[in-house]
Amino acid sequence: MLFPALMLFGGFAAMASNQYHTLVLEHLHGFSASQIGDAVALGATSQIFLPWLIILAGKWLRNYDQILRRAYFCLAFFLLCFPWVKGYSLAMLNYYGIVFSLSVCAALQGIALIAATKPHGDKWTLIIRSMGTLGYAVSCLISIGIAKYFSYTGLYIVFAIWALLSIPASKMSGAILHTQEKSLSTKESLRKMWSPDIIVLLIVIFIANMSINGATSVLSNFIFTELKATNSQVSLAWTIATFAEIPMIFASIYFLQKFGIKGLILVGIFLSTFRMGAISQINNLHQLYAVQTLHGMFFGASLSGVGIYFGRKFGTKNMQKINLISQSIYGGLAGVIGGKAIGLIWHHQGLRNVYLYAFIALIFASLLGLFAFKESKEIAN
């Protein structure tokens, strides 16, 4: 599992560029609050149809890892170009290219993670997932110094290098899942998803991801504008958040073993609810640094829990298509609605209220998950 771990390390290190995308749109390309919201919403549309493209492409490519390596290359290209492009249209197109490439990487890295760790037990999914978190944290740490002494261009060159380094790691990791192996048809996958536990789980994750992902996408703008931070302090906030995620991931192993997958998913949502409420009230960087320690619980615990749940219920071979279809719902559609909402809230009521509304939505998601989601004990052969 060494090379899958290295692949996740490099891939997540490149994803650390997320902390700067909306800042670049605002500072270098002159985007307004509503335009940034439109950009986030547009970027999220890729996650609606992207999973279906991956499924179709798998019929002609020998293995999904070929798509992943091409996505890393495209990501590096768009990252290099982003600070240089001129004009609203090109900036929007370049941003979409970054988000599209990142979406491919995230979807296939998730499948690769489950495929590599399934034979070794669920706790290894969280352990190897922590290598991605470590990569993100190291990249954020490096970006503190780069942001202080170099421009956005220097930052994006480093992020692009991380993406390129993930290509050989992916190659040496071997096949993710052979597409020629017989798996569920799309129709059968949709039929299996039409069960009470999956429907409720998708609704819960939909609401949570809509709130968390939307608010997180403009958190750097919040830190910079509302808390009067520098770029280095923005990077420091994300470094603290990501390093704090590592021990919490290992704590998640305890929750998984003690309370099951439902407990793992809910603890991430509960702590994220508290975090959004706290961000809506904080007034200085020290308070933010403390709250940022809870950042990774949804992404590292809740979303990992969803992958574990699908893998356990449907089996590794069948869960790949179900996971991709699900991501088009709770990742894509939720991201579009969340992105548009943050732009409107930011424009009309101020950036701080984005986090207040996210807090309210997460309370509803928490209650729905706690009382309506009934974890199935079915285990696939």
Side-chain angles (χ1 to χ4, degrees):
M1 291 187 288
L2 173 62
F3 290 117
L6 291 176
M7 178 187 69
L8 285 176
F9 184 96
F12 273 74
M15 288 181 185
S17 61
N18 281 332
Q19 64 185 297
Y20 282 106
H21 298 330
T22 52
L23 278 178
V24 171
L25 289 175
E26 183 180 11
H27 295 166
L28 293 188
H29 302 304
F31 277 40
S32 66
S34 59
Q35 288 173 330
I36 290 175
D38 290 340
V40 174
L42 177 64
T45 61
S46 66
Q47 297 184 52
I48 296 178
F49 61 83
L50 175 62
W52 301 95
L53 291 179
I54 293 175
I55 291 171
L56 291 173
K59 295 181 179 180
W60 290 281
L61 292 176
R62 179 177 55 84
N63 192 275
Y64 283 125
D65 65 318
Q66 294 177 328
I67 307 176
L68 180 56
R69 288 195 290 275
R70 287 163 173 78
Y72 284 138
F73 181 82
C74 291
L75 174 60
F77 172 78
F78 286 118
L79 286 171
L80 286 172
C81 294
F82 194 37
W84 295 94
V85 296
K86 302 296 182 182
Y88 173 84
S89 298
L90 284 179
M92 184 72 87
L93 182 63
N94 202 130
Y95 174 79
Y96 187 78
I98 291 174
V99 174
F100 189 94
S101 302
L102 282 172
S103 298
V104 177
C105 293
L108 294 183
Q109 283 176 168
I111 293 174
L113 174 64
I114 299 298
T117 58
K118 176 72 173 178
H120 304 280
D122 292 337
K123 73 174 184 179
W124 278 99
T125 300
L126 295 171
I127 292 173
I128 299 301
R129 170 62 176 77
S130 70
M131 285 299 296
T133 301
L134 181 61
Y136 199 107
V138 169
S139 184
C140 288
L141 186 62
I142 292 173
S143 69
I144 294 175
I146 298 174
K148 185 175 182 179
Y149 297 107
F150 298 94
S151 63
Y152 286 116
T153 302
L155 280 168
Y156 275 76
I157 289 174
V158 175
F159 293 137
I161 291 173
W162 285 119
L164 291 174
L165 289 174
S166 299
I167 296 175
S170 172
K171 181 70 174 178
M172 290 182 283
S173 295
I176 294 176
L177 286 172
H178 289 293
T179 56
Q180 63 264 32
E181 292 181 1
K182 183 175 178 56
S183 60
L184 292 175
S185 65
T186 301
K187 182 178 180 180
E188 183 67 13
S189 297
L190 290 170
R191 189 189 68 78
K192 283 185 172 292
M193 291 172 62
W194 198 254
S195 60
D197 59 319
I198 298 299
I199 291 173
V200 173
L201 178 59
L202 288 179
I203 293 173
V204 170
I205 298 300
F206 180 99
I207 297 171
N209 201 45
M210 176 187 68
S211 307
I212 296 169
N213 215 25
T216 299
S217 66
V218 293
L219 183 57
S220 293
N221 303 74
F222 175 86
I223 299 170
F224 193 93
T225 303
E226 297 289 329
L227 303 182
K228 311 303 180 185
T230 64
N231 283 340
S232 292
Q233 288 170 325
V234 170
S235 289
L236 178 58
W238 286 110
T239 302
I240 292 171
T242 316
F243 271 113
E245 184 180 340
I246 297 174
M248 286 193 177
I249 286 179
F250 286 92
S252 296
I253 297 175
Y254 168 79
F255 285 106
L256 177 63
Q257 295 173 336
K258 184 73 174 179
F259 303 111
I261 298 176
K262 179 178 179 177
L264 176 64
I265 293 171
L266 287 179
V267 72
I269 297 177
F270 290 160
L271 292 176
S272 297
T273 302
F274 172 81
R275 175 172 171 260
M276 289 296 151
I279 291 176
S280 70
Q281 302 300 317
I282 62 175
N283 295 302
N284 60 65
L285 284 170
H286 296 295
Q287 293 172 341
L288 176 78
Y289 293 154
V291 172
Q292 279 292 83
T293 59
L294 301 176
H295 161 73
M297 286 307 299
F298 177 72
F299 302 101
S302 298
L303 293 186
S304 292
V306 173
I308 292 171
Y309 189 69
F310 286 168
R312 178 180 293 180
K313 180 167 182 174
F314 303 115
T316 305
K317 184 172 64 175
N318 293 327
M319 64 80 64
Q320 59 176 318
K321 187 173 291 185
I322 291 174
N323 196 45
L324 287 170
I325 294 172
S326 299
Q327 285 179 11
S328 72
I329 300 171
Y330 72 71
L333 185 58
V336 172
I337 296 173
K340 189 63 180 177
I342 62 162
L344 292 173
I345 295 169
W346 183 0
H347 179 73
H348 293 287
Q349 299 186 28
L351 188 51
R352 188 176 291 272
N353 279 321
V354 167
Y355 300 91
L356 178 60
Y357 283 105
F359 171 68
I360 295 171
L362 282 167
I363 290 177
F364 178 73
S366 299
L367 294 174
L368 185 63
L370 181 62
F371 296 108
F373 174 54
K374 307 299 182 183
E375 181 182 344
S376 172
K377 302 303 180 183
E378 178 184 352
I379 299 177
N381 294 325

